[in-house]
Amino acid sequence: MIEKGKCPICGKTNQCAITLGEEPSTCWCMTTKVPKDLVSNIPDEFRNISCVCRECVKNYNKKVCVVGSLNVDHVLDVKNFPKPGETIKASKLSTFFGGKGGNQATACSKLGLTTSMLGSVGSDGHGNSYIEHFTNMGVNTNLIHQSNISGQAFIQVDQEGENNIVTIGGANYDLSIQWIDDHLEEILEHDVFLFSLEIPQDLVLYLMEILEKHHKLIILDPAPFANFHVKMLDYTDYITPNNSEYEQIKSYLKPSHHVIVKRGEKGSKYIHNEISINIPPYPVKAIDTVGAGDTFNAAFCFALVFNYTIEDALMTSNIAGAMATTKPGAQTGMPSLQELLRIRYK
């Protein structure tokens, strides 16, 4: 449970006069308007214990832009993955909104961050439905391009919750440098950028270089690794590979890089210079691991926005990623901020 006098968002000592039972007239919260949306995201049981701190109110105004893919996921539930040449039966077929970019944008918005999506969907029923979905989730869609057919993913999930994925890029690869140039003014209104690589490599490098010159915070999820370019490391503040991606990328890394390794059921690891910090996992019964890494990335983005320590950031990200595995579909199990804070402080 959150302690009296500490902010329920960041957990740091707040010293709010009201919650400490002191004279409130000089307390900062009497003269600062705390956004209603931020207050509504705080669990009810925390509200009479402490108020949100001044820094979190300030940081709440930061804008996040997710740059990546938008897919429609077709998920097959199977007992075991087929061997080469083998035909098996699936017990269920489900369709969900997905793509690494779409997953990360949805997760960021559910955590209360002001979020925009920069990506491309088809000018088809799938694309129109995805934009409507984002609107309902509170994600800004002004930067979404439409053309061609929507990207799609075909996913098998076994009885242990593990998955394999085959994707068709579709409209994701129609996102262009011209689109970036045409919307650059609005893009640069954002403070934090979360990239993944299911979109054109040249576009990622082009935009990263611009953002680095404007001193924007850049987080890179280097997946799929086949689309990674070592030059991206020159612009990235934090890189978040999973175990297999880390093995492929580590020869390019310098000690000065800030590396967050997503280790699944083993938790996560931070590597920087001579520092190496392991954070244990949050234990859950996994049903579907699709989107867990994307939720981890969104929670890490949230933690950076609110100036968490690296240990708290990884612990919070582990919890969020684990929670995402407890329901089928990439986005279904993603926690709200209320759900995340309840577990973080329980």
Side-chain angles (χ1 to χ4, degrees):
M1 179 60 70
I2 186 72
E3 297 178 26
K4 188 173 184 179
K6 291 190 175 181
C7 173
I9 300 295
C10 66
K12 297 173 185 173
T13 300
N14 190 10
Q15 296 299 325
C16 172
I18 295 174
T19 57
L20 294 178
E22 300 171 358
E23 171 56 46
S25 60
T26 58
C27 185
W28 76 270
C29 65
M30 299 298 291
T31 57
T32 301
K33 185 176 181 181
V34 180
K36 290 183 179 179
D37 288 346
L38 181 57
V39 173
S40 68
N41 274 315
I42 299 170
D44 292 341
E45 59 268 33
F46 294 175
R47 294 182 192 176
N48 295 324
I49 297 173
S50 184
C51 65
V52 180
C53 70
R54 188 195 306 262
E55 281 302 305
C56 282
V57 171
K58 177 183 175 182
N59 291 328
Y60 179 72
N61 294 318
K62 291 181 178 178
K63 295 181 179 180
V64 174
C65 183
V66 176
V67 186
S69 61
L70 297 164
N71 291 329
V72 174
D73 294 346
H74 307 281
V75 182
L76 291 166
D77 291 345
V78 297
K79 184 176 181 180
N80 298 295
F81 297 135
K83 300 182 178 72
E86 182 183 15
T87 299
I88 64 171
K89 291 183 178 180
S91 60
K92 185 179 179 182
L93 169 64
S94 305
T95 301
F96 303 95
F97 295 112
K100 295 191 71 63
N103 293 342
Q104 291 169 4
T106 299
C108 283
S109 186
K110 291 186 76 170
L111 292 174
L113 297 173
T114 301
T115 307
S116 298
M117 181 70 217
L118 174 53
S120 183
V121 293
S123 52
D124 52 17
H126 287 317
N128 294 332
S129 295
Y130 214 140
I131 290 175
E132 181 180 359
H133 165 68
F134 270 151
T135 301
N136 293 336
M137 294 301 302
V139 176
N140 175 28
T141 62
N142 290 350
L143 300 176
I144 296 180
H145 173 264
Q146 278 192 276
S147 72
N148 198 348
I149 59 170
S150 294
Q152 297 179 64
F154 301 86
I155 303 168
Q156 296 178 85
V157 179
D158 72 8
Q159 60 188 351
E160 302 299 323
E162 294 299 323
N163 66 81
N164 59 37
I165 305 172
V166 178
T167 65
I168 296 175
N172 290 303
Y173 284 89
D174 292 337
L175 196 61
S176 67
I177 288 174
Q178 185 62 54
W179 181 262
I180 299 298
D181 289 342
D182 290 344
H183 295 82
L184 188 57
E185 183 176 350
E186 184 174 356
I187 292 170
L188 292 176
E189 292 175 359
H190 297 79
D191 305 284
V192 182
F193 291 79
L194 177 53
F195 283 83
S196 53
L197 301 179
E198 294 173 330
I199 55 177
Q201 184 190 82
D202 61 338
L203 179 142
V204 172
L205 286 165
Y206 179 77
L207 180 55
M208 278 187 166
E209 183 176 5
I210 293 172
L211 298 176
E212 196 266 343
K213 289 178 180 176
H214 284 82
H215 309 292
K216 303 296 184 179
L217 182 66
I218 298 174
I219 306 165
L220 172 62
D221 181 354
F225 182 77
N227 217 18
F228 171 77
H229 192 290
V230 67
K231 186 70 175 174
M232 294 173 185
L233 294 174
D234 294 341
Y235 310 124
T236 300
D237 295 288
Y238 292 89
I239 186 165
T240 64
N242 62 23
N243 273 325
S244 62
E245 291 154 1
Y246 174 68
E247 290 301 316
Q248 297 175 87
I249 210 169
K250 65 182 181 181
S251 62
Y252 303 111
L253 295 170
K254 299 176 183 177
S256 59
H257 288 130
H258 294 269
V259 185
I260 309 296
V261 185
K262 304 188 292 278
R263 305 176 69 211
E265 62 184 14
K266 294 182 180 180
S268 56
K269 185 175 185 177
Y270 172 67
I271 304 168
H272 174 61
N273 288 330
E274 300 300 318
I275 300 171
S276 180
I277 301 172
N278 288 286
I279 302 297
Y282 178 73
V284 295
K285 173 59 178 175
I287 293 175
D288 182 354
T289 59
V290 177
D294 299 325
T295 307
F296 179 103
N297 276 289
F300 183 70
C301 182
F302 167 87
L304 291 181
V305 166
F306 287 102
N307 289 327
Y308 282 27
T309 65
I310 195 65
E311 292 89 347
D312 281 344
L314 265 62
M315 180 268 288
T316 302
S317 302
N318 285 354
I319 292 171
M323 292 176 73
T325 71
T326 60
K327 295 179 182 179
Q331 299 180 13
T332 311
M334 291 173 172
S336 67
L337 181 55
Q338 284 200 15
E339 293 168 330
L340 182 62
L341 291 178
R342 281 197 179 102
I343 291 182
R344 183 175 180 229
Y345 291 119
K346 74 176 183 179

